Amino acid sequence: MDVFSRDVLVVGGGGAGLRAAIAVAEANPRLSLAVISKVYPMRSHTVSAEGGAAAVIKPEDSFDEHAYDTISGGDWLCDQDAVEAFVKEAPAEMLQLEHWGCPWSRQPDGRIAVRSFGGMKVERTWFAADKIGFHMLHTLFQTSLKYDALQRYDECFVTRLLVDDGRCRGVVAIEVATGRIFAIAAKTVILATGGCGRVFPFTTNGAIKTGDGMALAYRAGAPLKDMEFVQYHPTGLPFTGILITEAARSEGGWLLNKDGYRYLQDYGLGKPEPKPVLRSMELGPRDRLSQAFVKEQEKGRTFEGPYGHYVHLDIRHLGEELIDRKLPFVRELCRKYVNLDPVKEMIPIQPVVHYMMGGIHTDIHGATPLPGLYAAGEVACVSINGANRLGSNSLTECLVFGARAGRAAAGFAAEQKESNPAVFAQASDEQKRLEESLLRKTDGKERIASLREEMQKTMEACAGIYRTGAALQQAAQDLHQLQERFHDLRLEDHSYTFNTELTGALELSFMLDVGEAIVASALARRESRGSHQRTDHPQRDNEKFLAHSLAYRTPEGLPRIDYLPVTITRWPPGQRVYGK
């Protein structure tokens, strides 16, 4: 087996990973550095983000306003010290991105243009038309190329973290093109692998978002935090799950039921106004809008099509000029995937799994409880998103906490001696596991597609927008059975070159672990808060559950749930109030 060595290894080549790598290179140019990603970095899911990134820039805005919107939007489950650091460092990160070449949209006078986003009282979302992820990722990737110390391992799938003497010391990975299994010893590892939306059947997430980093950390002993909080975005295209950005509602789009009625006014989200009003109606927070859709469906006020129930997003009244200038990608998506023109027709939409508020437990610097292991971006839970993330905070989070994790990891690596050779035995064990239990195994009966479909149906039915204890208990049993059946998995492809069946099996294994953590965390939290709605416990319970859940993997493989107090600095818990 080939074994390479680096001071700092970043796993994941998206927004958080590249920002972390740049921060490492800037903090200590003497450190050897590598980025390993299962796709070419420009294929990372950051590229699909459409709406924008939040940071204070307008004179009438303030750090306190941004912090309060974030904390109240997260239903007071956010760690307020992390939120305060986030909002203060966000503007500098955004300006730095501009200096590196990100083409922010501008006002006629040349100033940065900002738009409103759900749950925010002030316009603070920077944007580049509706293709911000594309431009942000290009900017970070191009910037990363100037650092000679940075080596890339593109299209390499990490299968295991190497841990010895209580410290993370590297990874084992497969090169997808050749099937070569190799190890990278590292003084520090930064996980930036994104979310796990593919645990569910209907999601905006690309096929690569299978919770790899979460499961890697979980298996290595680091806890997963707040995994019960799964965000549904209220406007996904039926069948594909492709996102119609919140920017469409920010610019003045309406949500209409089958009677042509703006139904959100019935759910405490404001009343119709001649012009869109911030914090009201269509710009309410995502959890509230998704829950309102379910209520409309129960009342028989939604359309029913071949891919389920849906309502309409209407942007026709915005006019062709504005749509082409500020929402060109929305128009392109509708034409290509729904065969309609939103300038003339309404867009069918339904809620779709979009984002994980939970992830690997980290401190404010991205450090996990496992020394030498850091995490940033959607894979991590720092926690600034609490029980419900506000739209446009996530891209800025990738920048702020990607940079923080990079600087912290660089400092940790500079203090360490060479990596421990004992991890090489672990790497050999992992190679043996991959070859004997998957590549060379011929007697299994189960198929990847069947197990994956059953897992996704279970998650949607039992851990969706509304949940019950009985359903979650059944889901826990079903997922445990799927874990057992996974051991009887059979692969038809035993080659090494571009064996996507092998990577599919590894991804399924990761998703089953993550799914169990989600269900166990949701079952233990007997309250309703943000995106976690228990119909058998409909009220928020600050006395018992103003706390982060921590899911630990036990020797039996099942999750054990503990709790950690939420950090409150200046904003005691209050009621979430939107609209007028």
Side-chain angles (χ1 to χ4, degrees):
M1 176 189 291
D2 292 327
V3 179
F4 306 98
S5 181
R6 289 291 176 270
D7 292 321
V8 181
L9 175 65
V10 180
V11 183
L18 291 176
R19 184 64 189 94
I22 293 168
V24 171
E26 290 180 333
N28 190 339
R30 295 184 299 277
L31 294 174
S32 58
L33 169 65
V35 174
I36 184 169
S37 175
K38 72 175 180 180
V39 295
Y40 186 72
M42 284 310 304
R43 295 289 183 183
S44 299
H45 199 63
T46 304
V47 80
S48 68
E50 301 171 33
V56 171
I57 190 174
K58 300 185 79 170
E60 62 268 29
D61 200 3
S62 70
F63 295 146
D64 281 0
E65 288 281 356
H66 190 182
Y68 182 79
D69 287 349
T70 298
I71 292 162
S72 61
D75 220 343
W76 274 270
L77 202 73
C78 310
D79 282 335
Q80 295 180 14
D81 57 342
V83 173
E84 291 190 77
F86 165 69
V87 300
K88 290 176 182 177
E89 295 175 20
E93 284 292 331
M94 304 288 275
L95 290 172
Q96 178 64 76
L97 203 66
E98 181 185 46
H99 295 164
W100 285 335
C102 186
W104 299 114
S105 292
R106 303 255 174 196
Q107 298 177 3
D109 62 4
R111 291 182 296 174
I112 296 290
V114 287
R115 59 173 41 131
S116 54
F117 247 61
M120 296 191 183
K121 296 188 295 292
V122 180
E123 292 179 335
R124 66 170 66 94
T125 297
W126 305 36
F127 60 96
D130 56 356
K131 297 182 180 181
I132 178 56
F134 175 88
H135 292 298
M136 179 180 286
L137 195 58
H138 271 76
T139 299
L140 290 169
F141 181 63
Q142 291 165 0
T143 302
S144 74
L145 297 177
K146 71 180 182 181
Y147 297 102
D148 294 335
L150 196 161
Q151 180 176 356
R152 296 208 322 272
Y153 296 86
D154 296 339
E155 297 185 332
C156 294
F157 189 100
V158 173
T159 67
R160 178 175 175 174
L161 296 180
L162 298 174
V163 179
D164 185 65
D165 195 23
R167 206 183 98 198
C168 183
R169 298 179 181 272
V171 306
V172 177
I174 300 173
E175 186 177 52
V176 176
T178 64
R180 176 179 62 125
I181 300 171
F182 63 98
I184 303 177
K187 296 175 181 177
T188 53
V189 174
I190 304 173
L191 293 174
T193 54
C196 60
R198 284 287 162 179
V199 173
F200 291 81
F202 186 57
T203 176
T204 64
N205 291 187
I208 60 173
K209 294 190 71 175
T210 50
D212 307 348
M214 295 177 185
L216 287 169
Y218 183 57
R219 293 176 180 182
L224 300 181
K225 182 165 67 180
D226 293 341
M227 292 298 287
E228 62 267 43
F229 297 105
V230 180
Q231 182 170 83
Y232 279 72
H233 197 291
T235 53
L237 291 178
F239 177 59
T240 63
I242 290 172
L243 178 69
I244 298 299
T245 173
E246 196 160 304
R249 288 173 282 126
S250 170
E251 298 299 335
W254 299 335
L255 289 181
L256 307 175
N257 65 16
K258 72 175 185 180
D259 301 319
Y261 174 66
R262 291 177 69 185
Y263 60 88
L264 293 174
Q265 60 189 291
D266 296 343
Y267 298 95
L269 293 164
K271 298 295 181 182
E273 299 282 346
K275 294 182 179 181
V277 177
L278 296 182
R279 295 189 69 195
S280 65
M281 292 292 288
E282 283 80 7
L283 281 181
R286 292 171 177 176
D287 58 340
R288 294 284 181 85
L289 267 62
S290 297
Q291 292 155 22
F293 173 91
V294 174
K295 296 299 184 184
E296 285 295 290
Q297 180 180 334
E298 291 173 349
K299 295 173 183 176
R301 297 175 181 170
T302 56
F303 298 93
E304 187 168 4
Y307 308 111
H309 290 260
Y310 66 93
V311 292
H312 279 139
L313 171 62
D314 189 2
I315 62 173
R316 295 173 298 175
H317 53 283
L318 302 181
E320 186 171 12
E321 188 276 331
L322 185 147
I323 291 171
D324 284 343
R325 177 164 49 89
K326 291 189 172 182
L327 303 170
F329 194 44
V330 168
R331 192 177 189 186
E332 179 182 342
L333 289 172
C334 289
R335 283 173 158 172
K336 288 185 175 180
Y337 293 97
V338 200
N339 195 30
L340 63 81
D341 186 348
V343 171
K344 303 174 183 177
E345 302 166 85
M346 292 188 286
I347 308 168
I349 57 93
Q350 59 186 198
V352 54
V353 169
H354 182 58
Y355 186 88
M356 287 297 301
M357 273 70 73
I360 304 166
H361 173 39
T362 75
D363 66 12
I364 199 169
H365 302 293
T368 75
L370 179 63
L373 181 64
Y374 295 76
E378 191 178 353
V379 74
C381 182
V382 60
S383 151
I384 68 162
N385 296 312
N388 172 69
R389 176 178 68 84
L390 293 190
S392 75
N393 267 352
S394 60
L395 290 178
T396 318
E397 179 186 5
C398 288
L399 299 174
V400 171
F401 290 102
R404 276 180 162 251
R407 291 190 292 266
F412 184 91
E415 298 173 353
Q416 308 306 311
K417 298 179 180 180
E418 291 301 316
S419 298
N420 190 337
V423 298
F424 302 151
Q426 291 185 34
S428 296
D429 288 344
E430 177 66 1
Q431 181 178 28
K432 183 178 180 181
R433 179 185 78 89
L434 294 171
E435 292 181 343
E436 292 185 0
S437 67
L438 291 172
L439 273 173
R440 297 175 186 168
K441 185 177 179 182
T442 59
D443 60 346
K445 298 178 182 179
E446 298 287 354
R447 304 306 300 270
I448 295 172
S450 299
L451 296 182
R452 183 172 56 218
E453 183 179 10
E454 289 186 45
M455 173 197 68
Q456 291 174 335
K457 287 182 177 179
T458 295
M459 294 300 295
E460 184 68 33
C462 303
I465 295 174
Y466 285 98
R467 304 157 174 184
T468 67
L472 289 167
Q473 187 66 56
Q474 183 62 52
Q477 296 175 13
D478 292 345
L479 290 175
H480 184 65
Q481 291 175 2
L482 289 172
Q483 289 275 28
E484 293 297 319
R485 291 167 58 190
F486 180 84
H487 296 302
D488 195 31
L489 193 68
R490 177 181 178 180
L491 270 62
E492 296 292 337
D493 187 352
H494 300 285
S495 67
Y496 285 84
T497 304
F498 286 108
N499 190 335
T500 55
E501 190 178 26
L502 172 61
T503 56
L506 293 168
E507 288 173 334
L508 173 60
S509 178
F510 287 151
M511 287 191 289
L512 286 170
D513 277 5
V514 170
E516 285 193 317
I518 292 171
V519 168
S521 300
L523 184 59
R525 184 175 291 275
R526 295 182 298 277
E527 66 159 356
S528 290
R529 184 187 299 267
S531 65
H532 173 69
Q533 293 293 307
R534 286 279 297 266
T535 57
D536 50 346
H537 296 281
Q539 302 303 315
R540 192 177 73 183
D541 186 348
N542 287 329
E543 183 177 344
K544 295 181 179 178
F545 292 105
L546 187 62
H548 301 295
S549 64
L550 296 176
Y552 291 87
R553 194 169 190 257
T554 65
E556 297 77 24
L558 297 172
R560 170 176 59 85
I561 307 299
D562 288 342
Y563 286 94
L564 180 72
V566 172
T567 301
I568 305 292
T569 58
R570 294 191 287 138
W571 294 278
Q575 293 300 315
R576 294 176 69 193
V577 180
Y578 296 92
K580 293 185 176 181

